[in-house]
Amino acid sequence: MRDPFTPKKKLPHWLRALEIDSAIDTFFFELGQSSGMAWERTILFFRRFHATGWKRPVFELLSESVTLGCAGLIVMLALAIPAFDAVKRDWRAQSDYSVTMLDRYGNEIGKRGVLQEVQFSLDQLPDHLVQAVLATEDRRFFEHFGIDVIGTLRALVENARAGGVVQGGSSITQQLAKNVFLSNERTLDRKIKEAFLALWLEANLTKREILKLYLDRAYMGGGAFGVGAASEFYFGKPVTDLRLEESAMLAGLFKAPTRYAPHINLPAARGRANEVLTNMVQAGFMTEGQVISARRHPATPVSREATPSPDYFLDWVFEEVKRLAPSGQRNLIVRTTIDMRLQRAAELAVESSLRESGDAYGVKQAALVSMDLSGAVRAMVGGRDYGASTFNRATNAQRQPGSSFKPYTYAAALEHGYTPDSVILDAPVSIGNWSPQNYSRRYRGRITMMQGLTHSINTIPVRLSIAFGRQPIAEMAERLGVQTPIRVTRSLPLGTSEVTVLDQATGYAAFASGGFRARPHGVARILTPDGEVIYDFNRANGPPKRVLSEEVARDMVKMMHNVAEHGTGRRALIPGVSVAGKTGTTQAYRDAWFVGYTGDFSTAVWLGNDNYKSTNRLTGGTLPAMTWQKYMRVAEANIEHRPLPGIPLPPPAEDEVPVAEGLPAGGELLGSGRLAPPTEDILDRLEERAKTAEAAAPALKREASAAAPGGTATR
């Protein structure tokens, strides 16, 4: 033992360093030894589970399945996390509202919310109604955990056997999750969110609560939501008084309310009700003898007008009402901005275009928004069939606008000192490794800005963005009313940042009004049942705000009017009306647009596919422009036309569209003597090739002369 009173001898520095090095070596040596022994013990432990022979591939397969399954669950959970944000809001609040919608003239056009006067508890509903719904929509509802695995597998087998979709595999809980939180988009992302939300509903609600919410929230056609409202609409009686045949008819509406709505197609509704009765017998809820009377005496609905309700517009307005209505007010009457004459014209224009040329162009969906220059929405089409899909493509779908975004670039250029006559070089241009090309793959040399917009040249807006930057372009779009956030990228001037159809109609309205920003709205007034006005749009928002100078707005109208008169938008021309606008076509022909305006309306039209599948070379100057023209001929019929800024009114047209019906005398929206869109497209291409050949003819003739003996031309 060292004497504590003897001072410790100080070690030399080199000896101290050796001591530290030795300690480090010892630590890592012992760590390696202990790790090796632990690894050996682990191997010896797991060796007893080693499988040989036929067992080995089985266990290898199970191991890989567990690994891939865990990875898949992690990915699915990551995709579903955004869906759970929806449960944070008061998603039950819709049941607190009872909103009656009126058009701009005061006529009732529909209702939204679960109406209090048709609310019934589950015990008050007829047993045969509940049984009909369960037998048709989800027979194992009270047995599964929100996702019916057996039912899904059975549906897959039946669909594979039939070679198409004949059965749905979604449970009632999944359908409720879709109705309350999601849209009808047919995407994998939506199905994953739907599955997780179904599990959440099962964990937080009882089966009876889920079934009651489903019966109250489902769309039943005719603008009616829930079995209570549907019973009143179709049969004029409370749901508690329904007979078996009437319950079967209502239960048949859940699959396709528009197709089987009895006030639109009574034979189809009765055929579907007969299928529901068969389902009830197969499910064991009733015998064939109990349903035979209902088969022989099918339900007869009360007489209703077969005019469809503007459901996409009503859904959008309902969300607006919930945002604007004072707290505590739930029973409301809303005077909207919609004009039903124009709404019917918009629906007919979209449907006729898709029916006539949709298959030829490979396009399945369309959307249209039309507003006056203040922003009051007069017509809205959010898709081809509300019964098939309630997803509003006019307000919720964000799609690339393509060249229809270029006017924002040109407006920014005008504010930076350019004019419509400013000369820009149309030649190859690159930003880094990105080199955009023109649609025609040709270049015109030095051209004016007006020519660049008229012929939708891609290099011109790109060169402009290089000159003054891309941020002013994004700020211009936002200033004019585009509410979707703009992504500032190299390709922004060519329209690669997604927007909505409503955005485009709003932005273009600022040009037509001479520089004032439109405020898109569908609610003009909100009243109580006693007539008290609790919200008025004009009082709440004041006068419109100027966002462009008169000179810039006038120059933009001049250039966009030239697009319609001499450029890519010629098919949108209306006799006797000044038209301005811009076409838009995105890469791989996924989206086609025409956005245009007159002195009275700004209207945006989009055509494409929900799954982003490429169309058959559909461009904005063909079917979208023609759809726009079909609708706007009706919108501009027999009204006093307002001139566009700086553009005189053309001579009045000789053949006005009758204003009473909003259709030409023959009942068709197509103008007389028009060719089908594919034919016009082919003729346009032939015209372009003829011009190219004509321009190249002198050079070819000179070459032929030089090559011939003696300098003479040969054939």
Side-chain angles (χ1 to χ4, degrees), residues 247-420:
S247 294
M249 187 170 285
L250 288 188
L253 293 173
F254 288 93
K255 180 179 180 180
T258 301
R259 188 190 314 165
Y260 298 121
H263 70 303
I264 295 177
N265 193 341
L266 184 57
R270 286 177 170 173
R272 176 63 177 165
N274 198 50
E275 294 179 14
V276 172
L277 294 173
T278 301
N279 292 336
M280 295 177 71
V281 174
Q282 293 176 347
F285 292 131
M286 286 190 172
T287 64
E288 186 62 39
Q290 290 174 306
V291 302
I292 190 65
S293 177
R295 292 189 192 274
R296 290 180 176 178
H297 304 92
T300 301
V302 298
S303 178
R304 295 285 184 186
E305 186 182 356
T307 302
S309 174
D311 291 305
Y312 291 110
F313 176 80
L314 295 182
D315 286 349
W316 177 62
V317 168
F318 185 54
E319 295 301 319
E320 210 175 335
V321 169
K322 289 191 288 186
R323 178 176 57 86
L324 297 173
S327 58
Q329 294 287 344
R330 290 294 185 265
N331 193 11
L332 303 168
I333 298 173
V334 176
R335 176 71 71 92
T336 71
T337 60
I338 196 168
D339 186 318
M340 288 304 298
R341 182 182 72 90
L342 302 187
Q343 177 67 23
R344 286 192 292 271
E347 293 171 353
L348 285 170
V350 167
E351 180 59 27
S352 66
S353 292
L354 291 175
R355 185 175 297 175
E356 294 164 4
S357 306
D359 290 339
Y361 281 117
V363 59
K364 301 295 184 183
Q365 281 294 349
L368 181 152
V369 171
S370 181
M371 60 176 63
D372 68 14
L373 303 189
S374 71
V377 175
R378 301 304 186 197
M380 176 182 288
V381 179
R384 188 171 187 177
D385 186 351
Y386 184 83
S389 172
T390 60
F391 179 67
N392 193 335
R393 296 157 188 82
T395 60
N396 297 331
Q398 297 181 5
R399 307 294 294 237
Q400 290 186 350
S403 295
S404 68
F405 190 85
K406 289 177 182 176
Y408 307 128
T409 303
Y410 282 83
L414 293 176
E415 288 195 338
H416 280 79
Y418 291 82
T419 70

Side-chain angles (χ1 to χ4, degrees), residues 105-340:
Y105 302 112
N107 304 307
E108 183 175 331
I109 54 175
K111 295 183 179 181
R112 283 299 183 267
V114 180
L115 308 182
Q116 303 300 320
E117 62 267 24
V118 295
Q119 282 274 53
F120 296 95
S121 66
L122 196 61
D123 293 331
Q124 293 176 296
L125 299 179
D127 290 341
H128 48 69
L129 174 61
V130 177
Q131 292 169 350
V133 173
L134 292 177
T136 304
E137 297 298 315
D138 191 354
R139 298 181 190 180
R140 302 182 65 256
F141 173 69
F142 287 99
E143 301 172 18
H144 60 67
F145 54 89
I147 301 174
D148 187 4
V149 179
I150 297 176
T152 301
L153 293 176
R154 181 179 64 249
L156 290 175
V157 172
E158 291 297 327
N159 293 337
R161 184 180 302 170
V165 180
V166 296
Q167 283 191 16
S170 296
S171 66
I172 282 180
T173 312
Q174 288 175 276
Q175 294 181 56
L176 177 63
K178 178 182 66 176
N179 292 340
V180 174
F181 301 112
L182 305 172
S183 69
N184 277 15
E185 284 185 295
R186 294 186 176 183
T187 62
L188 178 62
D189 181 51
R190 196 268 291 171
K191 294 297 291 184
I192 293 173
K193 293 177 180 179
E194 178 185 290
F196 277 97
L197 287 170
L199 297 177
W200 184 88
L201 287 172
E202 290 279 346
N204 290 271
L205 301 176
T206 66
K207 286 286 189 180
R208 292 176 61 85
E209 288 175 328
I210 292 172
L211 181 58
K212 180 62 169 59
L213 281 171
Y214 178 71
L215 294 174
D216 283 344
R217 298 291 183 89
Y219 179 64
M220 307 291 286
F225 283 80
V227 293
S231 177
E232 293 284 353
F233 181 80
Y234 292 118
F235 304 113
K237 63 172 66 174
V239 68
T240 53
D241 296 339
L242 289 177
R243 298 193 303 271
L244 173 59
E245 59 271 21
E246 295 167 339
S247 294
M249 187 170 285
L250 288 188
L253 293 173
F254 288 93
K255 180 179 180 180
T258 301
R259 188 190 314 165
Y260 298 121
H263 70 303
I264 295 177
N265 193 341
L266 184 57
R270 286 177 170 173
R272 176 63 177 165
N274 198 50
E275 294 179 14
V276 172
L277 294 173
T278 301
N279 292 336
M280 295 177 71
V281 174
Q282 293 176 347
F285 292 131
M286 286 190 172
T287 64
E288 186 62 39
Q290 290 174 306
V291 302
I292 190 65
S293 177
R295 292 189 192 274
R296 290 180 176 178
H297 304 92
T300 301
V302 298
S303 178
R304 295 285 184 186
E305 186 182 356
T307 302
S309 174
D311 291 305
Y312 291 110
F313 176 80
L314 295 182
D315 286 349
W316 177 62
V317 168
F318 185 54
E319 295 301 319
E320 210 175 335
V321 169
K322 289 191 288 186
R323 178 176 57 86
L324 297 173
S327 58
Q329 294 287 344
R330 290 294 185 265
N331 193 11
L332 303 168
I333 298 173
V334 176
R335 176 71 71 92
T336 71
T337 60
I338 196 168
D339 186 318
M340 288 304 298

Side-chain angles (χ1 to χ4, degrees), residues 676-697:
T679 305
E680 291 198 357
D681 194 20
I682 293 172
L683 291 176
D684 278 354
R685 293 178 193 171
L686 291 175
E687 182 183 2
E688 287 291 330
R689 292 183 181 180
K691 291 179 180 178
T692 303
E694 184 180 357

Side-chain angles (χ1 to χ4, degrees), residues 76-104:
M76 290 177 64
L77 183 60
L79 293 173
I81 286 176
F84 288 108
D85 293 336
V87 305
K88 297 177 182 178
R89 60 180 174 84
D90 187 11
W91 55 273
R92 292 177 181 262
Q94 178 172 335
S95 61
D96 297 336
Y97 284 88
S98 176
V99 182
T100 301
M101 308 281 192
L102 311 177
D103 67 7
R104 64 179 299 199

